[in-house]
């Protein structure tokens, strides 16, 4: 099968597509023909070596956690799945950016009828991270929650999960995405110099006076910005683990949100039209470099997805 590989840390040009063998099928494993596999900023950071201390690569390294596809074979002890089943799920072996992937049976859920393949294949990392981050700050109806990185793959879902809880959302993002954010009932604050003061004005304009919680999906100075706005540390969640350790905030992400029931519920919400999973662009597997170029340099709305 064809699969994405890189043999050293580096920029996008270290990525290639090679012929490899799927790993052997264990008794409780499932072989999935991948129809769609989302790409994520964390994968880019692993590829560059920026996360070596936390998530080291073993070379040659594969890539990819998100997946959706069709079951083609099962191990002898598998009872929940059969060839032909449409599924979505995740790999913890950095292996889903490929034509086929082998995963344990408990890492799959059934794909709802009518859920497009690119959406199904984009849901795991962004969905589980957004779910965990929202749960970490426990928003209540009527509270004001600030979201930085609000139109990325994770942020766009977090905005919608917050709105389902009837929270008021102040979204830090590019002005290019104003229409989408306003369609979700969020208030846009443009990122860049002076963002803290713009946030204060937006929060006061909403009548809240102060922010009740803050979800940071960008990093940088945003965790400190959250505290400067008066948000209590336990109601700030950031994906910057070092900042969370230094400031005493929370840092819940995909690890805390990984659960078959959560993924199944998110898939149901998306299939039923209660949340949208924006897909900015799709690429064939052979264009993996172009896909990551778009993700890393163009700040797209929502997800970028490979279609092996």
């Amino acid at each position: 099968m064809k699969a994405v590989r890189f043999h050293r840390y580096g920029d996008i040009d270290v990525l290639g597509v090679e012929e490899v063998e799927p790993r052997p099928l264990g008794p409780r494993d499932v072989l999935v023909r991948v129809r769609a596999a989302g790409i994520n900023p964390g994968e880019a950071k692993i590829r560059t070596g920026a996360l070596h201390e936390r998530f080291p690569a073993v070379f040659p390294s594969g890539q990819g956690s998100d997946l959706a596809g069709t079951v083609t074979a099962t191990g002898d002890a598998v009872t929940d799945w059969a060839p032909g089943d449409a599924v979505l799920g995740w790999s913890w072996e950095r292996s889903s950016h490929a034509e086929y992937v082998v995963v344990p049976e408990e890492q799959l859920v059934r794909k709802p009828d009518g859920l497009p393949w690119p959406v199904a294949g984009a849901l795991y990392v962004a969905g589980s991270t957004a779910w965990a981050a929202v749960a970490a700050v426990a928003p209540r109806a009527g509270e004001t929650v600030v979201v930085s990185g609000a139109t990325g793959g994770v942020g766009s879902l977090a905005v919608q999960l917050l709105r389902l809880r009837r929270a008021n959302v102040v979204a830090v993002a590019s002005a290019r995405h104003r229409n989408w954010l306003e369609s979700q009932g969020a208030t846009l604050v443009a990122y860049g110099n002076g963002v803290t003061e713009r946030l204060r004005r937006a929060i006061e304009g909403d009548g809240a006076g102060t922010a009740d919680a803050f979800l940071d999906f960008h990093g940088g100075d945003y965790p400190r910005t959250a505290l400067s706005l008066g948000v209590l540390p336990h109601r700030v969640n950031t994906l910057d683990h070092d900042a969370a350790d230094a400031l005493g905030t929370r840092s819940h992400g995909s690890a805390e949100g990984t659960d078959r029931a959560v993924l199944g519920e998110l898939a149901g919400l998306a299939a039923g039209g209660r949340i949208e999973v924006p897909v900015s662009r799709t690429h064939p597997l052979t264009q993996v470099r172009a896909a990551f170029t778009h993700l890393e340099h163009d700040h797209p709305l929502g997800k970028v997805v490979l279609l092996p």
Side-chain angles (χ1 to χ4, degrees):
M1 68 172 186
K2 290 182 173 62
V4 174
R5 287 287 185 274
F6 61 100
H7 294 256
R8 59 182 174 83
Y9 289 133
D11 205 346
I12 289 167
D13 60 0
V14 304
L15 294 174
V17 177
E18 302 175 7
E19 292 285 343
V20 302
E21 291 291 330
R23 73 166 174 82
L25 199 64
R28 295 194 174 276
D29 286 338
V30 177
L31 177 66
V32 178
R33 172 65 174 96
V34 180
R35 298 286 300 274
I39 69 174
N40 298 284
E43 291 152 0
K45 292 178 181 178
I46 289 172
R47 184 201 71 234
T48 64
L51 297 181
H52 178 76
E53 294 301 319
R54 191 178 293 271
F55 301 116
V58 176
F59 301 116
S61 177
Q63 268 200 161
S65 300
D66 291 332
L67 66 99
T70 306
V71 173
T72 60
T74 63
D76 294 340
V78 172
T79 58
D80 289 345
W81 307 110
D85 287 344
V87 297
L88 65 149
W90 68 91
S91 166
W92 278 337
E93 299 175 8
R94 301 179 189 171
S95 59
S96 71
H97 294 169
E99 292 179 319
Y100 291 86
V101 63
V102 175
V103 294
E105 62 176 334
E106 65 271 15
Q107 290 174 209
L108 298 171
V109 301
R110 199 166 302 279
K111 185 181 84 68
D113 292 340
L115 186 66
W117 285 113
V119 172
L123 197 52
Y124 162 64
V125 169
S128 61
T129 304
W131 183 278
V134 170
V137 301
R140 294 180 288 274
E143 288 191 320
T144 295
V145 183
V146 179
V147 181
S148 64
T151 54
V154 178
S156 60
L157 292 178
V159 165
Q160 296 174 79
L161 293 175
L162 288 166
R163 294 297 292 154
L164 287 178
R165 294 191 181 211
R166 295 183 290 138
N168 301 314
V169 177
V170 177
V172 181
S174 167
R176 291 185 296 125
H177 303 313
R178 178 184 299 276
N179 289 344
W180 185 85
L181 285 166
E182 290 182 349
S183 76
Q184 302 299 325
T187 299
L188 170 69
V189 170
Y191 68 84
N193 292 337
V195 66
T196 301
E197 289 310 310
R198 288 194 294 277
L199 280 170
R200 290 187 196 280
R201 290 196 297 269
I203 293 165
E204 291 169 0
D206 277 353
T210 60
D212 298 289
F214 198 115
L215 299 181
D216 168 41
F217 302 121
H218 184 275
D221 290 333
Y222 282 110
R224 288 181 173 81
T225 295
L227 299 179
S228 75
L229 293 171
V231 183
L232 297 175
H234 74 279
R235 301 206 72 194
V236 177
N237 195 84
T238 178
L239 301 185
D240 184 336
H241 296 281
D242 291 337
D245 291 343
L247 300 174
T249 71
R250 297 190 172 183
S251 58
H252 290 196
S254 62
E256 291 79 10
T258 294
D259 183 276
R260 289 177 76 182
V262 167
L263 185 58
E265 182 170 347
L266 291 168
L269 289 171
R274 298 192 65 199
I275 61 171
E276 176 191 357
V277 183
V279 175
S280 171
R281 191 176 294 177
T282 62
H283 289 268
L285 192 69
T286 53
Q287 293 180 10
V288 63
R289 291 183 182 180
F292 272 94
T293 297
H294 179 52
L295 176 71
E296 295 176 49
H297 299 292
D298 296 341
H299 305 291
L301 171 64
K303 295 289 293 184
V304 182
V305 182
L306 296 173
L307 305 179

